[in-house]
Amino acid sequence: MQIETITTNPYNDQNPGTSGLRKKVKVFQQPGYLENFVQSIFDSLEDFSGKTLVLGGDGRYFNRVAIQIIIKIAAANGFGELIIGEGGLLSTPAASNIIRKYNAFGGLILSASHNPGGPDEDFGIKYNVSNGGPAPEKYTGAFFQRSQTISSYKTAKIEDVDLDRIGSQQIGELKITIIDPVTDYAELMQSIFDFNLLKQSISSGYITLLFDAMSAITGPYAKRILVDMLGAAPSSVINAEPLENFGGHHPDPNLAHAHELAERMFSADAPTFGAASDGDGDRNMITGSNIFVTPSDSLAIMAANARLIPAYVKGLSGVARSMPTSQAVDRVAAKYNIPCYETPTGWKFFGNLLDAGKITLCGEESFGTGSDHVREKDGLWAVLFWLNLIAVKRQSVADIVHEHWQKFGRDIYCRHDYEAVETPIANSIVEHLRNQLPTLPGQSFGEYIVKYADEFSYEDPIDGSISNNQGMRIGFENGSRIVFRLSGTGTVGATLRIYIERFEADATRHDQDSQEALAELIILAEQLCEIKKRTGRTEPNVIT
Ligand code: VG1
Ligand code: CO
């Protein structure tokens, strides 16, 4: 194999965010841009010569081009085997599973997740370590450092690989294996859930379902598992064909973006269960006939009922949630006397806790839930978890949710996103908030008395690493919270996320609309951060 060393100049913006490096496709298409970043990753890793790298993406525009480029760089850098999903496709949780199952050294996942795709939209790349999870900050920091001084990259002079033919081939020292992207993942799901019960519940018509793959990666997974294996009607998976531009939509599973699903689920003849996933298959939205389950509630309900699922019959060693996620799961943990951890936003912070066996289940308010079966959040896993729950409990989604609220109270919750805010304005808002923090404790705003106001720092209980500046939280005496943070996944300007929650113990008040129930806190959040005043905007881009 002939290897070339190509001279290159560093780019100064290759700092990975919450989940990998995400930029406009046009940025990735600059000469050497992708090459630099991949070489920077390899330069920062040690002892991978002859080892296995997993490679796949969500199929968005530039996926195939990027995979061919990466194959050549990986070959030149001495990997022994590349395992690649057919067509260059692997959902994020499936990639995590492949890394673990085949004891790979690591993997590169090509995705910008829920961000739109296409020539003028977004692309992304993320490195996952040998436990199958996203590289922790000490790695991503090293990648960025290296990218700032890189002067050359290595690439092998080999032909493009046929990504559409399953099987192995040997190119010099390198073995390239193209695998079916779904099979291993489907087997894993079968080992976790009661597929026989699910089959019965679906064939008897007790469960009718609708899954929106949003023209993204989960289409093939949902068709294989829900339709072929569990017997759901083919029409129950919509937007099932992965498209390079996701049909021009945001592949983001929320009521605003999964509108086709939302319309059907809130209609008179709604199926019993509806769900959607995102671009790379790690997120999930859960709905039932005429009800939407907030991700924070979903996590809590899963934790409370985990013993009903075959893989979790022995109970949970512990649970974790990201800081802005509502405290609903904390109540479950307290009741069942299991540890509950609060981590910064981003799945990479769950990895150590999962590896150490401290937690079994974890999740984020941003439509992400997962368990120790892989080291990524997992959209279809969450869907199957809920289906399995419905099948065992013989209850509707609405009944499951209401019963949970009755038992634990309801943490009424919402998130407001202000997207593409001009960076200087976003920074001034953060500064403004930061300056107020010391003065807030003890102040009253109507019935809300500030108990604490701080910037969230996290010390990893396993390796002691510290992550500062993970969002500002303002907690009130009555348990309510307002959290502010800037997104680390956007590609245009800055996105301010405002997370708001209030606890409601009174079951006669559980059916309130969240925006109404949180109205006072929403006004207070604006008073504190002045986003509307400073940007002239009148409302958030998205409310979830
Ligand atoms: C967002 C979510 C975060 C999630 C991350 C990656 O990050 O808030 O909870 O882990 O996306 O998810 P941010 O920094 O924009 O708030 V995915 O499905 O985009 O990989
Ligand atoms: Co995603």
Side-chain angles (χ1 to χ4, degrees), residues 25 196 370:
V25 167
N196 286 332

Side-chain angles (χ1 to χ4, degrees), residues 337-460:
N337 204 15
I338 54 172
C340 179
Y341 297 85
E342 184 179 41
T343 59
T345 294
W347 212 261
K348 55 178 175 268
F349 294 103
F350 294 131
N352 279 346
L353 295 169
L354 289 163
D355 283 351
K358 300 270 184 211
I359 59 170
T360 314
L361 217 65
C362 46
E364 298 189 276
E365 51 61 45
S366 54
F367 299 83
T369 12
S371 87
D372 58 0
H373 68 290
V374 286
R375 293 294 179 273
E376 288 278 5
K377 54 188 186 273
D378 190 344
L380 268 167
W381 166 89
V383 169
L384 292 166
F385 196 120
W386 266 91
L387 287 171
N388 204 152
L389 272 192
I390 296 166
V392 176
K393 288 173 89 79
R394 303 281 296 178
Q395 275 181 315
S396 68
V397 174
D399 285 349
I400 292 175
V401 171
H402 283 107
E403 198 181 272
H404 184 88
W405 287 345
Q406 254 162 31
K407 206 162 162 186
F408 295 93
R410 176 180 175 195
D411 291 86
I412 305 173
Y413 188 84
C414 79
R415 179 175 113 184
H416 287 197
D417 290 340
Y418 289 84
E419 294 170 352
V421 176
E422 286 168 58
T423 308
I425 298 185
N427 289 339
S428 77
I429 289 172
V430 169
E431 245 347 271
H432 177 63
L433 281 167
R434 189 169 280 143
N435 291 337
Q436 293 173 76
L437 292 178
T439 66
L440 287 174
Q443 281 195 49
S444 308
F445 301 90
E447 59 173 299
Y448 296 96
I449 305 161
V450 178
K451 189 172 173 190
Y452 62 89
D454 63 10
E455 237 171 311
F456 183 57
S457 277
Y458 179 65
E459 183 178 346
D460 187 293

